[in-house]
Amino acid sequence: MKNIDVFVLFVLIRLLSVVIVQTCFVPDEYWQSLEVAHKLAFNYGYLTWEWVLGIRSYVQPLIISFVYKILQFCYADNALVLIYVPRILQALLSAYADYCFYKWCGAKKWAIFTISTAWMWFYVGSRTLINSLETALTVIALSKFPWNTKSFNESNFLWIVATLCVIRPTAVIHWFPLCIYYIVITGEKLLSIVFRKFIPIGVVTLAASTIVDSYAHGSIVVTSYEFLKANVLNNVGEWYGTHPWYWYLTSGLPAVLGIQIIPFVVITLHILKHRHEYQHDLALLGCIVFTLFVYSCLKHKEFRFILPLLPMVLKITSSHIARWSYKAAPLTIWFVTAIILLGNIVPALYLSLIHQRGTLDVMHPLRLIAEKNPHSANFLFLMPCHSTPFYSYLHINVTARFLTCEPNLQNKKNYIYEADDFYNNPNLWLKHNYPRNGTFPTHIIVYDNLAVYLSNILSMYKPIKKIFHTHFPRERKGKYIYIYQLA
Ligand SMILES: *[C@@H]1O[C@H](CO)[C@@H](O)[C@H](O)[C@H]1NC(C)=O
């Protein structure tokens, strides 16, 4: 295949993901990007505590807000356009990252196959999630990494790595071992690399990001430093749930890799046995193990944190499967291909189209209601904090409220966040909070399994919409979402 054909193929796959992925993955996709960009561009939008403290880089929201501004200038700031254009941009970057992956793998057909079928990358590659950006930039940097001796003087990838680390400070975790490997293989003197490359590139990038962040934040702020302070010193991450140390091994990695975990384990054993032949693979394995180790030590764990490891794993598996395929029987090759394809398509489609779609679907009727009554509509989301997107999906400045879950930043005694306070005794909470300034919300958005407990207040309302959310309801997340309207 010609390079341009491969690139077009990747663009088509990522654009397909923009259309097919219609479900919620994690709240950060909206609250840490679109919502902030909406606030920057249109002056209304909700800023979570991370943005009040200034612990997140503004680079991604600024880019999106710039696009929003252009759309507004062209009178194209329709809500759907505002939702889809940032996703299309991320999809195009992901497609370019796929192309870089293909080049990095030596332009092998198996590389095209593994990256375009990877279910997790299909699921998140077109989301406006910082981890999608992080993974795309990691792949681009890896493809420019001086893997062969001829390109040792190439340090362009260090600029990408430095940018990545100021945008997403945790990227340091997987780039630390790779930078050590870079020092080892270049054969240059350590001091010379540090003083001629690492320090100048790091200082310039940090200065540029500080200028950008301070401009957007409105006061001088070094977001990566604030991020470290909040996460290491105050441990706010643990506020959002903890998992046992082995979670990445038993759940995290298997879920992110999907069926690819089988060839990965087999190939890892093979690499360890013939470790003198596969120096680069060994380095990537070392990076994967180191990253998993560090993340396993942190109590707050999420699937998306280890997303940047996915392309490294796929690089290892695709090169070994390609080598194996030269000798294998055609029937066996077809069989392996079919298994990998099926093993990825099933979770990709189910999770993109069905699981957790209600919290996005509910925003469309709400937007129509808000458009009709921009001054009187008043939404109350009685759901766990950040369950749905907010103003970025409404694009109308209506009154809306959700239950918050801010960490205890002031170290108050017996602190309990609003959502927990509500769930402890929903009716009592509602009695204390409503009517508010003499009015009740015009619409209450609530899961079916909670609605049955709210007969006091809901007796004044009638359900107007029932929206499917998931086949796997949990304590605070029901199968359906209801919109109740004040009668
Ligand atoms: C949005 O609405 C709030 C509350 O009604 C108001 O204070 C704010 O100025 C509005 N913002 C814009 C940009 O219209």
Side-chain angles (χ1 to χ4, degrees):
M1 275 170 103
K2 273 196 292 203
N3 284 344
I4 183 76
D5 295 342
V6 175
F7 181 63
V8 169
L9 177 72
F10 287 139
V11 169
L12 290 179
I13 290 169
R14 297 302 151 217
L15 289 180
L16 193 67
S17 134
V18 174
V19 181
I20 290 189
V21 176
Q22 302 171 15
T23 51
C24 247
F25 176 37
V26 286
D28 279 20
E29 180 179 352
Y30 319 101
W31 294 85
Q32 313 284 18
S33 63
L34 298 186
E35 200 61 26
V36 183
H38 196 278
K39 170 87 178 172
L40 288 170
F42 304 107
N43 243 328
Y44 64 98
Y46 188 97
L47 293 185
T48 57
W49 62 273
E50 286 97 333
W51 300 92
V52 177
L53 287 187
I55 72 166
R56 302 269 176 169
S57 158
Y58 279 91
V59 171
Q60 189 199 21
L62 262 183
I63 295 171
I64 299 174
S65 80
F66 183 66
V67 175
Y68 279 178
K69 276 285 182 199
I70 295 173
L71 290 170
Q72 187 188 29
F73 183 75
C74 307
Y75 300 103
D77 59 323
N78 168 284
L80 286 180
V81 176
L82 298 188
I83 292 167
Y84 279 102
V85 169
R87 287 195 59 195
I88 291 171
L89 292 178
Q90 174 61 46
L92 293 176
L93 181 71
S94 297
Y96 177 65
D98 292 345
Y99 180 71
C100 290
F101 176 84
Y102 167 73
K103 285 284 181 187
W104 175 33
C105 293
K108 297 233 170 56
K109 264 192 238 150
W110 279 97
I112 305 178
F113 179 71
T114 49
I115 197 76
S116 46
T117 54
W119 86 268
M120 184 76 176
W121 190 225
F122 185 82
Y123 184 62
V124 295
S126 69
R127 293 180 185 270
T128 51
L129 203 55
I130 191 71
N131 310 86
S132 310
L133 181 65
E134 178 190 12
T135 303
L137 289 182
T138 291
V139 178
I140 296 169
L142 279 171
S143 75
K144 309 209 181 305
F145 190 92
W147 295 106
N148 51 49
T149 22
K150 275 175 256 138
S151 53
F152 275 160
N153 285 327
E154 278 291 324
S155 49
N156 284 349
F157 83 99
L158 285 174
W159 285 103
I160 305 175
V161 174
T163 310
L164 184 53
C165 291
V166 295
I167 294 180
R168 181 76 183 164
T170 50
V172 171
I173 298 171
H174 65 268
W175 275 103
F176 174 73
L178 292 169
C179 285
I180 300 279
Y181 187 57
Y182 169 70
I183 294 172
V184 171
I185 58 173
T186 48
E188 242 183 278
K189 288 215 176 66
L190 174 65
L191 282 183
S192 141
I193 296 186
V194 169
F195 282 101
R196 286 185 36 230
K197 287 178 180 160
F198 288 1
I199 291 182
I201 293 175
V203 167
V204 170
T205 321
L206 192 62
S209 96
T210 304
I211 292 170
V212 168
D213 289 340
S214 303
Y215 161 76
H217 192 65
S219 62
I220 290 187
V221 64
V222 183
T223 51
S224 30
Y225 171 68
E226 298 294 330
F227 179 86
L228 273 182
K229 218 166 67 179
N231 281 289
V232 177
L233 301 182
N234 297 339
N235 252 328
V236 284
E238 287 178 29
W239 185 253
Y240 295 104
T242 59
H243 287 102
W245 64 269
Y246 51 80
W247 185 84
Y248 281 114
L249 298 179
T250 54
S251 310
L253 198 63
V256 169
L257 301 188
I259 190 131
Q260 283 280 357
I261 192 146
I262 300 170
F264 179 58
V265 170
V266 174
I267 289 163
T268 299
L269 295 176
H270 176 79
I271 292 173
L272 291 179
K273 220 159 130 200
H274 305 266
R275 52 190 164 276
H276 301 297
E277 291 168 47
Y278 305 115
Q279 201 198 343
H280 292 331
D281 286 350
L282 213 55
L284 284 174
L285 276 178
C287 170
I288 293 168
V289 170
F290 177 81
T291 309
L292 287 175
F293 173 75
V294 173
Y295 276 117
S296 296
C297 294
L298 305 175
K299 289 216 173 79
H300 179 66
K301 300 183 172 68
E302 289 190 45
F303 296 112
R304 61 198 178 101
F305 292 170
I306 53 167
L307 190 64
L309 299 185
L310 177 63
M312 300 182 202
V313 167
L314 295 182
K315 160 75 170 73
I316 294 173
T317 60
S318 64
S319 60
H320 284 263
I321 294 179
R323 205 167 300 136
W324 161 83
S325 72
Y326 295 137
K327 296 169 288 184
L331 205 64
T332 326
I333 296 177
W334 278 113
F335 180 71
V336 169
T337 313
I339 295 282
I340 293 179
L341 193 62
L342 205 68
N344 280 299
I345 281 186
V346 173
L349 289 184
Y350 182 76
L351 290 159
S352 304
L353 287 168
I354 299 168
H355 184 61
Q356 297 185 1
R357 65 170 297 137
T359 43
L360 290 189
D361 285 346
V362 75
M363 298 311 284
H364 299 293
L366 289 179
R367 185 168 56 245
L368 296 181
I369 294 167
E371 276 167 5
K372 260 191 226 145
N373 321 284
H375 300 296
S376 61
N378 182 341
F379 300 148
L380 173 62
F381 295 85
L382 292 180
M383 304 173 136
C385 61
H386 310 134
S387 286
T388 63
F390 216 44
Y391 287 111
S392 58
Y393 265 56
L394 294 170
H395 194 47
I396 300 169
N397 192 13
V398 289
T399 311
R401 179 178 183 189
F402 65 95
L403 303 167
T404 59
C405 54
E406 302 215 336
N408 188 8
L409 294 167
Q410 280 97 33
N411 284 318
K412 286 189 198 136
K413 265 206 177 138
N414 300 326
Y415 176 79
I416 171 164
Y417 63 72
E418 194 176 41
D420 261 358
D421 192 22
F422 168 80
Y423 279 104
N424 286 343
N425 192 338
N427 285 309
L428 189 69
W429 187 91
L430 285 165
K431 216 168 119 187
H432 283 166
N433 284 272
Y434 289 94
R436 201 178 171 82
N437 306 326
T439 57
F440 283 94
T442 57
H443 295 83
I444 293 181
I445 300 93
V446 64
Y447 283 113
D448 55 349
N449 56 357
L450 179 67
V452 291
Y453 295 109
L454 302 181
S455 45
N456 284 355
I457 191 165
L458 291 182
S459 61
M460 297 187 295
Y461 291 75
K462 60 175 194 304
I464 56 164
K465 272 259 181 318
K466 179 184 181 185
I467 293 164
F468 172 79
H469 182 59
T470 174
H471 289 131
F472 302 95
R474 275 178 291 158
E475 197 194 342
R476 292 181 182 182
K477 297 184 178 182
K479 184 169 182 189
Y480 293 96
I481 296 172
Y482 280 103
I483 302 179
Y484 279 88
Q485 182 172 303
L486 194 60

